Amino acid sequence: MKTVFDTDDPTSEISTARAVDGSLLEGVPGVIEIRQQHPRKLVVVAENAGEATPKIFQALTRQGVAVTSSSEYRPSFAEVFTELLDQHNGTTEHR
């Protein structure tokens, strides 16, 4: 399963004008994983970011949430290291 920590495919970091519940995107076609980094910031893993991004924007807009920025997200070395340790120790929760 593809996750935020796969480095071969970029994921999207989306910032919004107001707080948003990431679960709003659970039904968007192509969205695999959503991580809520902050009330106004989401990291979204999709099968194809180019196809999913407009659908994500539409889903947020329908809920009255304006997108202020969207960019490629690459996890830091520390995030990847922590995820690998968690996987090794069996403590990772797949979201």
Side-chain angles (χ1 to χ4, degrees):
M1 175 181 224
K2 188 173 172 181
T3 70
V4 166
F5 298 99
D6 290 332
T7 57
D8 57 341
D9 293 310
T11 58
S12 299
E13 182 175 65
I14 298 171
S15 296
T16 59
R18 66 173 178 84
V20 63
D21 181 357
S23 67
L24 291 173
L25 302 178
E26 287 178 354
V28 174
V31 171
I32 296 170
E33 181 181 358
I34 305 147
R35 290 202 179 191
Q36 187 95 36
Q37 292 192 316
H38 180 273
R40 294 176 32 208
K41 189 175 288 188
L42 305 169
V43 173
V44 181
V45 179
E47 292 171 8
N48 181 318
E51 290 178 11
T53 299
K55 295 173 186 174
I56 292 166
F57 284 19
Q58 289 170 356
L60 292 170
T61 301
R62 277 194 301 273
Q63 297 297 320
V65 179
V67 175
T68 58
S69 69
S70 176
S71 61
E72 181 179 309
Y73 173 79
R74 295 281 184 176
S76 69
F77 176 78
E79 290 173 302
V80 172
F81 184 73
T82 300
E83 176 75 8
L84 290 172
L85 284 176
D86 288 347
Q87 285 178 7
H88 177 75
N89 294 326
T91 58
T92 298
E93 283 184 35
H94 290 287
R95 299 170 195 143

